[in-house]
Every structure is written in C-alpha cells, then in structure tokens.
Amino acid sequence: MKRKKLKKEVLLIIILSLTIIIIGIIILLTRNTGSKEYYSKEAIQVIKENKLSDVYKSDYSKTLDKMLQSNNFNIEYIEEYINIEYLNIDGFINNINTYLKIGYNAQEINNIFKLSEKNQSKLLKLAKKDFSKYIDIKNFNIDNLDRYDDYLKKTEKDIQTVVTYVNINLDKEFYTDSTLVENSNDLTVIVNKYHHVDKEFVPKDLVTLFDTTRGAKMVRPAAEAYKLFIEAAKEDGITLESTTAYRSYSFQNTLYTNYVAQDGVEAADTYSARPGSSEHQLGLAVDLNDPNVIGARLDEKDYQWVLKNSYKYGFIVRYTEAGVPITGYMEEPWHIRYLGVELATKVYESGLTYEEYYDLYMMEY
C-alpha cells in the first residue's frame, strides 16, 4: 500500500512539474521578448541582409516589422521605428518616414498620431513644429500654433482657454478679419463679430410670428418653437411678446448707423451689430418684451424664467453678463437665439457662450 501511495505521489509530482514547464514554455513563446522568432519571415530576412541583429536587443516592434516588410525603410531610422507605436491606418508607413525626415523623433511622432487627421496632414507639409504643450487639447488647430504661443505670453489664462479664445479670434480686435459665412441657412450657423453673412442673404421659409403686430418673422422651425415657448411662459404667469426678429441687411445698417450717430462707434458696438454681423439677419433670433413692465424690456422674474426655460424649446439666451468679454455685446436678457432643442440644451448645460461651445464641440480641426 505504501509503495502504491509513493508511486502516485511521484506521478503527481511529475505531472505537476511537466505542467509548470509547459506553462513556462507557453509564457516564453507568447511574451514580447524581442526574440528573432517573433518577427515575420520577411522582416527577419531583411534583418539578416542588412546586418541589423541589434534590433533583437529591444522588445519586438510591430512598427519596425511592418517597415521592414514594406521594404520602405531607412536604416538610420531603425531605432526610431522601434519606439513608434503601431497604428493600422492608411499611409502609416509613408507618413512615419515623412515625419522623421522633417525632424520629428519617435515620441513626437506618437504625439502627432494623437492629433486629428486634419492636423496630421497639415504637419506633413510644414517644417518641424513644437506643439507638445497642446497635445491634450481637444480643439487644437496647428494652423493657429504661433497665435497660441503669442497669446500665452500676453495672458495668464490656462492653455485650454487660450486655444479656445484664439480659435474664436479673441486674440484679435472685434471685426478684424471677419469671414463670410457660407452655410447661412444652417440652423446652427454662428454669426458674430468675426463671421458675417452676405448683404443679399435672406433666409429661406420666413413666416410671420403668431403674436406680432409689427410683422416680425423667423424661419419656420424657429417660429413654431417660439409659439410653444410663449405659450409655456403664459402658463407660468409670464407675459412675453416679440418686438423684432428677422432684420434685413439694410434694416440693420440703418439701425446701426443711427446708434453710431447717437452714441459713437465704440459705444454702439457694445449693443448693436454691424450690418451683416447680426443674428437677426439669419431669421433665428428674436427680441422679447414684457408689455407689463415699464422702463425695461423684461423684469428679473421674466429674465430668470427665460434663462431657465428657453432651451426646452430650442432657444438660448445669447448674450449674458458672463459672456460679454467673448461676445463683445452687453448683456441682453431679451435676445434669444434658436438652435433646436437638442443643441440648445447642450449649450445651456455647458454654461458656455455659443462661441465657446461651437469651437469646442462642433468644429473639426
């Protein structure tokens, strides 16, 4: 009995030992050890032909493997290839060589591949740029790199704010280099002191607002949402009505010119848009009034209701007190802008001005 028991114990030890050995062999075979056998046959052949056996001293590199297989490699870049993280994307191999030729090292190239495809393609055509401090900024735009650096020297704002502000042109004077908006009928289009519409532009599908006595008009989706908005306010004991909505270029020109004659350009620019730069020309903005309030458009109760409820119907209060440095306009609690319920809700919940939200979440750089 003792011998049988001993035999079983020996057999168990042998089986256990063999199991451990097999597991060890499997681990060795599957580990990324940089061993010769781990590279593809094509890569091994190139390594032999070019006497590149030193690559085995480093961990296996799929990037190097692919470079050697493609036969599109440069021996002087071997160490860099090893340290570049492999990505299965179009043009990966050719782009790596281009970036290395420009002067970027492996770590810098790894950072480049974290950028948007647009930024990557731009870098392929430029001299070497140091963008390391901006690598984690979502809305980084390589086109603005020099402006970011300049603005950083002039402000104590954090890098994320600097990038956003420069992208929306706040490093320039208002109305400097204003660009023409091409998609003026888009409900989400942004028009401000840096983006204007053509003087001949008239929105499609303008309809008269249901509560107007002055012929105020908005584009149909905005007009329909406006009706629901006004009716909801009434149910909560808030009386609101439209004063002005769509304004033509010529109407805005007359209005602005009169304000300039009255208060001067500098003052007028704080509360009136120059012609072509007004959201009213889009047919997406409406100014509100409470007929029960004397000496003001809205009282505090009105404003708080509009601020907290307008997004539910697709509108945002466009010009807030906090947004003055960004929009360039004084607070206008009565001016609301239609974006659609989904987008208006996102902008409201973000606490950002539309300029900031648009750049951070709607632009592709």
Side-chain angles (χ1 to χ4, degrees), residues 298-341:
L298 306 175
D299 61 19
E300 185 61 24
K301 182 180 179 181
D302 294 329
Y303 176 48
Q304 290 303 317
W305 189 92
V306 171
L307 187 64
K308 296 176 181 178
N309 291 278
S310 56
Y311 73 93
K312 300 174 184 177
Y313 303 91
F315 295 91
I316 59 169
V317 176
R318 186 68 172 86
Y319 306 119
T320 62
E321 182 178 6
V324 171
I326 297 168
T327 65
Y329 292 111
M330 60 182 281
E331 182 184 24
E332 291 190 357
W334 57 85
H335 178 107
I336 59 175
R337 156 71 191 272
Y338 183 74
L339 295 173
V341 175

Side-chain angles (χ1 to χ4, degrees), residues 33 47 57 62 68 87 95 102 109 119 124 130 150 157-158 160 174 222 270 283 293 302 314 322 328 332 336 354:
T33 60
I47 291 171
K57 296 177 181 179
K62 190 170 184 178
L68 296 178
L87 295 172
N95 289 352
I102 290 172
I109 292 173
N119 277 321
L124 289 169
D130 179 10
D150 289 342
K157 299 184 185 301
D158 60 88
Q160 175 62 79
F174 288 129
T270 65
V293 175
D302 294 329
E332 291 190 357
I336 59 175
Y354 190 40

Side-chain angles (χ1 to χ4, degrees), residues 226-363:
Y226 172 77
K227 186 175 188 296
L228 297 176
F229 168 74
I230 294 299
E231 290 173 345
K234 188 175 181 180
E235 290 179 4
D236 287 345
I238 303 293
T239 304
L240 301 172
E241 63 180 13
S242 61
T243 57
T244 180
Y246 165 70
R247 297 176 190 160
S248 67
Y249 182 97
S250 60
F251 182 95
Q252 187 67 31
N253 184 50
T254 298
L255 196 65
Y256 177 77
T257 301
N258 290 339
Y259 286 141
V260 169
Q262 174 183 299
D263 297 322
V265 172
E266 186 175 349
D269 280 341
T270 65
Y271 62 82
S272 179
R274 296 183 184 182
S277 299
S278 173
E279 287 189 325
H280 285 284
Q281 192 176 344
L282 298 172
L284 296 172
V286 58
D287 287 345
L288 304 171
N289 181 59
D290 183 341
N292 300 315
V293 175
I294 299 175
R297 291 175 181 263
L298 306 175
D299 61 19
E300 185 61 24
K301 182 180 179 181
D302 294 329
Y303 176 48
Q304 290 303 317
W305 189 92
V306 171
L307 187 64
K308 296 176 181 178
N309 291 278
S310 56
Y311 73 93
K312 300 174 184 177
Y313 303 91
F315 295 91
I316 59 169
V317 176
R318 186 68 172 86
Y319 306 119
T320 62
E321 182 178 6
V324 171
I326 297 168
T327 65
Y329 292 111
M330 60 182 281
E331 182 184 24
E332 291 190 357
W334 57 85
H335 178 107
I336 59 175
R337 156 71 191 272
Y338 183 74
L339 295 173
V341 175
E342 183 179 356
L343 180 55
T345 300
K346 290 178 180 178
V347 175
Y348 172 80
E349 292 177 345
S350 74
L352 302 170
T353 61
Y354 190 40
E355 278 82 2
E356 294 169 291
Y357 186 91
Y358 192 94
D359 184 71
L360 279 165
Y361 302 108
M362 298 172 68
M363 286 295 294

Side-chain angles (χ1 to χ4, degrees), residues 97-116:
N97 284 329
T98 302
Y99 290 134
L100 288 168
K101 186 175 181 180
I102 290 172
Y104 292 107
N105 60 36
Q107 185 54 55
E108 290 168 331
I109 292 173
N110 287 332
N111 284 336
I112 288 174
F113 284 118
K114 294 178 183 178
L115 300 176
S116 68

